């Protein structure tokens, strides 16, 4: 349930509601909008039975039951877009953010070369995995902490914030030391221990949709992070598993407008994993921007033919620079910038 405070409700009235929520055994979550404050009442129980009690309190305008299982992630809780700060701009605002870089950090030289190239083309942030979730235990698993150090060096040289995956709850503090954004991979979207850990870390999170997860499951996974008061969460549509074989996954373009309608969190599209082939990445990126995505995450490798993971879907720096130009045109057509 959501308690909507009156415009101009006093701090005392707001704290009165908060105390009441706590006294009833629920957790209050504050959302301070431009006009009014909204208090989410979250917990396990039938909170609706207290609706009238809250409505009689000073400063309360009304209460709204939230019928979806996700609460803090819902548009009812927060009507305005959540703006996630990234490299001086706000993801979820007018400007499209572009996170680019290789699938994996493979060496110091490789990540530095990639970082300078994507920076040159106008990327907002650098991606690169140091801990890789690979289907085969015999495949390259990433450089671990050494990779994180190279990412930090790349950030120092280029000024680009770093987005990198964390797979182990125990390693969240270490990854936070090096990275600006913690990526939760598709395979870990429902790793609840990990979701709790990144929620508690109060670090920016990029949460990828599980390969066979519904949008509601994605929103529920986000709810875990939000429940710790960590609101810097971006969701990522990265393609879902279907019967189609000509692409690695099926890009669920529907997810972009549907999620934008249901949640205030920014939506990032990943055309690289969604298609699995570099030839389709530009078209899928254009479609994502046209559909309302707030950002893109794109795999770029200085030498895709030598990549230790996901070479097939990686753009060369030159192709990435062309993609940046083409999405600028699409962004303008939908009243955004890139
Ligand atoms: C990645 O970003 O390289 C990755 C492993 O993505 P996903 O978790 O979406 O498969
Ligand atoms: Mn990859």
């Amino acid at each position: 349930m959501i308690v909507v405070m009156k415009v101009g409700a006093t701090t005392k009235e707001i704290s009165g509601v908060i105390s009441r929520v706590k006294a009833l055994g629920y957790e209050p979550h504050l959302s301070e909008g431009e006009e009014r404050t909204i208090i989410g009442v979250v917990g396990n129980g039938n909170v609706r039975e207290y609706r009238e009690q809250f409505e009689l309190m000073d400063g309360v305008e009304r209460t709204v039951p939230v019928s979806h299982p996700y609460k803090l992630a819902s548009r009812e809780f927060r009507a305005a877009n959540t703006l996630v700060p990234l490299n001086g701009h706000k993801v979820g605002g007018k400007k499209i953010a572009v996170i680019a870089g290789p699938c994996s950090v493979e060496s110091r030289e490789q990540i530095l070369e990639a970082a300078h190239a994507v920076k040159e083309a106008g990327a907002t942030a650098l991606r690169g995995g140091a801990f890789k979730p690979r289907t085969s235990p015999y495949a390259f698993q990433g450089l671990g902490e050494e990779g994180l150090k190279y990412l930090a060096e790349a950030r120092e040289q280029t000024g680009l914030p770093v987005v990198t995956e964390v797979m182990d709850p125990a390693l969240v503090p270490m990854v936070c030391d090096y990275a600006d954004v913690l990526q939760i991979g598709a395979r870990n979207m429902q790793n609840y221990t990990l979701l709790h850990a990144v929620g508690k870390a109060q670090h920016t999170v990029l949460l990828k949709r599980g390969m066979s997860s519904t949008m509601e499951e994605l929103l529920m996974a986000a709810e875990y992070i939000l429940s710790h008061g960590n609101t810097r969460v971006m969701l990522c549509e990265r393609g879902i598993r279907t019967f189609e074989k000509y692409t690695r996954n099926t890009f669920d373009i529907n997810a972009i407008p549907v999620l934008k309608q249901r949640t205030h969190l920014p939506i990032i599209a990943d055309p690289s994993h969604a298609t699995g082939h570099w030839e389709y990445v530009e078209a899928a990126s254009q479609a994502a921007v046209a559909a309302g995505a707030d950002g893109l995450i794109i795999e770029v490798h200085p030498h895709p033919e030598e990549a230790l993971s996901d070479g097939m879907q990686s753009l060369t720096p030159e192709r990435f620079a062309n993609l940046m130009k083409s999405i600028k045109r699409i962004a303008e057509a939908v009243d955004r910038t890139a």
Side-chain angles (χ1 to χ4, degrees):
M1 182 178 80
I2 283 164
V3 179
V4 181
M5 301 302 292
K6 286 181 179 153
V7 174
T10 63
T11 349
K12 192 162 165 245
E13 288 165 342
I14 294 168
S15 48
V17 172
I18 290 174
S19 308
R20 185 86 193 112
V21 171
K22 286 184 183 160
L24 292 169
Y26 290 89
E27 231 180 274
H29 286 267
L30 221 62
S31 164
E32 302 197 47
E34 286 207 344
E35 275 213 325
R36 61 179 90 235
T37 297
I38 284 175
I39 301 163
V41 185
V42 190
N44 186 9
N46 184 17
V47 69
R48 288 185 201 197
E49 62 184 302
Y50 304 113
R51 272 189 84 171
E52 263 187 33
Q53 283 191 25
F54 280 107
E55 284 179 351
L56 288 168
M57 290 185 78
D58 289 340
V60 172
E61 186 177 282
R62 66 197 143 93
T63 61
V64 184
V66 181
S67 50
H68 326 293
Y70 52 90
K71 315 285 180 195
L72 305 175
S74 73
R75 276 276 182 203
E76 280 96 332
F77 178 60
R78 209 184 130 84
N81 286 349
T82 282
L83 302 176
V84 174
L86 188 67
N87 196 11
H89 71 253
K90 296 181 166 74
V91 188
K94 196 167 175 176
K95 192 164 160 62
I96 312 282
V98 182
I99 304 163
C103 179
S104 305
V105 180
E106 298 166 4
S107 67
R108 180 173 175 270
E109 293 65 34
Q110 174 248 17
I111 193 66
L112 293 179
E113 190 178 349
H116 284 284
V118 301
K119 160 94 182 185
E120 177 83 3
T124 317
L126 174 68
R127 64 149 289 150
F131 296 96
K132 293 305 299 177
R134 303 305 300 278
T135 303
S136 164
Y138 310 118
F140 177 61
Q141 305 284 307
L143 296 180
E145 190 170 6
E146 187 189 349
L148 295 177
K149 287 186 176 152
Y150 298 150
L151 282 166
E153 189 179 347
R155 175 183 46 212
E156 230 165 79
Q157 289 194 14
T158 60
L160 292 178
V162 162
V163 181
T164 198
E165 179 159 357
V166 59
M167 298 200 292
D168 181 346
L171 295 184
V172 168
M174 183 180 98
V175 180
C176 284
D177 282 345
Y178 294 99
D180 300 277
V181 179
L182 304 177
Q183 177 175 321
I184 303 289
R187 290 154 192 81
N188 271 317
M189 189 202 84
Q190 287 180 314
N191 180 338
Y192 299 117
T193 318
L194 184 60
L195 296 176
H196 278 302
V198 299
K200 282 186 198 148
Q202 305 295 329
H203 217 74
T204 305
V205 178
L206 177 69
L207 175 64
K208 299 188 96 177
R209 180 181 181 180
M211 53 187 76
S212 301
S213 298
T214 63
M215 291 185 232
E216 188 163 291
E217 286 163 341
L218 172 61
L219 292 168
M220 290 309 290
E223 192 78 11
Y224 270 80
I225 304 168
L226 297 171
S227 73
H228 290 280
N230 184 354
T231 55
R232 286 180 290 158
V233 180
M234 301 179 274
L235 305 180
C236 179
E237 163 54 41
R238 45 78 75 205
I240 51 174
R241 194 171 269 199
T242 69
F243 48 79
E244 183 50 60
K245 294 277 189 286
Y246 284 177
T247 50
R248 181 176 179 183
N249 289 294
T250 294
F251 187 25
D252 186 7
I253 195 90
N254 295 344
I256 298 168
V258 172
L259 290 170
K260 286 301 291 178
Q261 182 187 58
R262 287 175 175 265
T263 183
H264 49 87
L265 299 172
I267 313 300
I268 309 293
D270 178 345
S272 306
H273 292 88
T275 62
H277 298 275
W278 69 264
E279 301 99 302
Y280 312 133
V281 170
E282 183 171 328
S285 301
Q286 292 173 331
V289 172
D294 297 300
L296 299 169
I297 179 164
I298 298 186
E299 287 188 340
V300 179
H301 195 291
H303 310 283
E305 68 288 354
E306 292 168 15
L308 297 181
S309 62
D310 290 350
M312 286 269 283
Q313 66 197 34
S314 298
L315 299 181
T316 58
E318 192 189 352
R319 291 191 176 115
F320 175 64
N322 287 334
L323 178 145
M324 287 298 284
K325 285 185 204 135
S326 82
I327 60 158
K328 269 191 179 37
R329 292 197 294 272
I330 305 287
E332 275 161 29
V334 293
D335 207 19
R336 306 280 292 261
T337 57

